Coordinates of all heavy atoms in Angstrom, one line a residue:
M1 N -144.1 20.0 38.5 CA -143.6 19.7 39.9 C -142.2 20.1 40.1 O -141.9 20.5 41.2 CB -143.8 18.2 40.1 CG -143.3 17.6 41.3 SD -144.3 18.2 42.7 CE -143.7 17.3 44.0
L4 N -141.8 23.7 41.2 CA -142.1 24.0 42.6 C -141.0 23.5 43.5 O -140.6 24.0 44.5 CB -143.4 23.2 42.9 CG -143.9 23.4 44.4 CD1 -144.1 24.8 44.8 CD2 -145.1 22.6 44.5
L7 N -138.1 25.8 43.3 CA -138.4 27.0 44.1 C -138.3 26.8 45.6 O -137.7 27.5 46.4 CB -139.8 27.6 43.7 CG -140.2 28.8 44.4 CD1 -139.3 30.0 44.1 CD2 -141.6 29.2 44.1
Y8 N -138.9 25.7 46.1 CA -139.0 25.5 47.5 C -137.6 25.1 48.1 O -137.2 25.5 49.1 CB -139.9 24.3 47.8 CG -140.1 24.1 49.3 CD1 -140.8 24.9 50.1 CD2 -139.4 23.0 49.9 CE1 -140.9 24.8 51.4 CE2 -139.5 22.8 51.3 CZ -140.3 23.7 52.0 OH -140.3 23.6 53.4
T12 N -132.3 28.2 42.6 CA -132.8 29.1 41.6 C -131.7 29.6 40.7 O -131.9 30.6 40.0 CB -133.5 30.2 42.3 OG1 -132.6 30.9 43.2 CG2 -134.8 29.8 43.0
M18 N -129.6 37.7 38.0 CA -129.0 38.9 38.7 C -128.7 38.5 40.2 O -129.5 37.9 40.9 CB -130.0 40.0 38.6 CG -130.1 40.6 37.2 SD -131.2 42.0 37.1 CE -130.5 43.1 38.2
L24 N -132.4 38.3 47.2 CA -133.7 38.6 47.6 C -134.5 37.4 47.7 O -135.3 37.2 48.7 CB -134.3 39.8 46.9 CG -135.6 40.4 47.4 CD1 -135.5 40.8 48.9 CD2 -136.0 41.5 46.6
L29 N -137.6 33.1 50.4 CA -137.9 31.8 50.6 C -137.6 31.3 52.1 O -138.3 30.5 52.7 CB -137.0 30.9 49.6 CG -137.5 31.0 48.2 CD1 -136.5 30.3 47.3 CD2 -138.9 30.3 48.0
I30 N -136.4 31.8 52.5 CA -136.1 31.3 53.9 C -137.1 31.8 54.9 O -137.5 31.2 55.9 CB -134.7 31.7 54.3 CG1 -133.6 30.9 53.4 CG2 -134.3 31.6 55.7 CD1 -132.3 31.4 53.5
K34 N -139.5 29.7 57.4 CA -139.6 30.0 58.9 C -141.0 30.3 59.4 O -141.3 29.8 60.4 CB -138.6 31.2 59.2 CG -138.4 31.5 60.6 CD -137.5 32.6 60.9 CE -137.4 32.8 62.4 NZ -136.4 34.0 62.6
A35 N -141.7 31.1 58.6 CA -143.1 31.4 58.9 C -144.0 30.1 59.0 O -144.8 29.9 59.9 CB -143.7 32.3 57.9
L41 N -147.9 22.1 63.2 CA -148.6 21.4 64.1 C -149.6 22.2 64.9 O -150.0 21.7 66.0 CB -147.8 20.4 65.0 CG -147.0 19.4 64.2 CD1 -146.1 18.6 65.2 CD2 -147.7 18.4 63.4
E50 N -147.9 37.6 58.5 CA -146.8 37.1 59.3 C -145.5 37.1 58.5 O -144.4 37.6 58.9 CB -147.1 35.8 60.0 CG -148.1 35.8 61.0 CD -148.5 34.5 61.4 OE1 -147.9 33.4 60.9 OE2 -149.4 34.3 62.4
W51 N -145.6 36.6 57.3 CA -144.4 36.5 56.4 C -144.0 37.9 56.0 O -142.7 38.2 56.0 CB -144.9 35.7 55.2 CG -143.7 35.5 54.1 CD1 -142.6 34.9 54.3 CD2 -143.8 36.0 52.8 NE1 -141.9 34.9 53.1 CE2 -142.7 35.6 52.2 CE3 -144.8 36.7 52.1 CZ2 -142.4 35.9 50.8 CZ3 -144.5 37.0 50.8 CH2 -143.3 36.6 50.2
L52 N -144.9 38.8 55.6 CA -144.6 40.2 55.2 C -143.9 40.9 56.5 O -142.9 41.6 56.2 CB -145.8 40.9 54.8 CG -146.4 40.4 53.4 CD1 -147.7 41.1 53.1 CD2 -145.3 40.6 52.3
I55 N -140.3 39.7 56.7 CA -139.4 40.2 55.7 C -139.2 41.8 56.0 O -138.0 42.2 55.8 CB -140.1 40.0 54.3 CG1 -140.2 38.6 54.0 CG2 -139.3 40.8 53.3 CD1 -140.9 38.2 52.8
E57 N -139.1 43.2 58.9 CA -138.0 43.2 60.0 C -136.6 43.0 59.5 O -135.7 43.7 59.9 CB -138.5 42.3 61.1 CG -139.7 42.7 61.8 CD -140.2 41.7 62.8 OE1 -139.6 40.6 62.9 OE2 -141.2 41.9 63.5
L64 N -130.2 49.0 58.5 CA -129.4 49.5 59.6 C -127.9 49.0 59.5 O -127.1 49.8 59.7 CB -130.1 49.1 60.9 CG -129.4 49.5 62.2 CD1 -129.3 51.0 62.3 CD2 -130.0 48.9 63.4
F66 N -126.2 47.8 56.9 CA -125.5 48.5 55.7 C -125.3 50.1 56.1 O -124.2 50.5 55.6 CB -126.3 48.4 54.5 CG -126.1 47.0 53.8 CD1 -127.2 46.1 53.7 CD2 -124.9 46.6 53.4 CE1 -127.2 44.9 53.2 CE2 -124.8 45.3 52.8 CZ -125.9 44.5 52.7
L68 N -124.7 51.3 59.0 CA -123.6 51.4 60.0 C -122.3 51.1 59.4 O -121.1 51.6 59.7 CB -123.8 50.4 61.1 CG -124.9 50.7 62.1 CD1 -125.1 49.6 63.0 CD2 -124.6 52.0 62.9
K69 N -122.3 50.3 58.4 CA -121.1 50.0 57.6 C -120.7 51.0 56.5 O -119.8 50.8 55.8 CB -121.1 48.6 56.9 CG -121.1 47.5 57.8 CD -121.3 46.1 57.2 CE -121.1 45.0 58.0 NZ -121.2 43.7 57.2
Q71 N -122.5 51.6 53.8 CA -122.6 50.8 52.6 C -124.1 51.0 52.1 O -124.7 49.9 51.7 CB -122.2 49.4 52.6 CG -120.8 49.2 52.9 CD -120.4 47.8 53.1 OE1 -121.3 46.9 53.3 NE2 -119.2 47.5 52.9
E77 N -128.7 48.2 46.3 CA -128.5 47.2 45.2 C -129.2 45.9 45.5 O -129.6 45.2 44.6 CB -126.9 47.1 45.0 CG -126.3 48.2 44.3 CD -124.7 47.9 44.2 OE1 -124.3 46.8 44.5 OE2 -124.0 49.0 44.1
M78 N -129.1 45.4 46.8 CA -129.5 44.2 47.1 C -131.1 44.1 47.4 O -131.6 43.1 47.3 CB -128.9 43.7 48.4 CG -127.3 43.6 48.3 SD -126.8 42.6 46.9 CE -126.8 41.0 47.5
W82 N -137.9 45.5 46.7 CA -138.7 45.3 47.8 C -139.1 46.7 48.3 O -138.2 47.6 48.5 CB -138.0 44.6 49.0 CG -138.8 44.3 50.1 CD1 -138.8 45.0 51.3 CD2 -139.9 43.4 50.2 NE1 -139.8 44.4 52.1 CE2 -140.5 43.4 51.5 CE3 -140.4 42.4 49.4 CZ2 -141.5 42.7 51.9 CZ3 -141.5 41.7 49.8 CH2 -142.0 41.7 51.0
P84 N -140.7 48.2 51.5 CA -141.3 48.1 52.8 C -142.3 49.2 53.1 O -143.1 49.1 54.0 CB -140.0 48.2 53.6 CG -139.1 48.9 52.8 CD -139.3 48.5 51.4

Side-chain angles (χ1 to χ4, degrees):
M1 178 67 173
L4 179 61
L7 179 65
Y8 183 74
T12 57
M18 293 180 60
L24 189 55
L29 289 172
I30 290 170
K34 185 176 180 180
L41 297 178
E50 295 169 358
W51 179 65
L52 291 173
I55 294 170
E57 290 171 357
L64 177 63
F66 282 114
L68 289 173
K69 292 180 176 182
Q71 296 178 340
E77 289 174 15
M78 301 306 277
W82 186 256

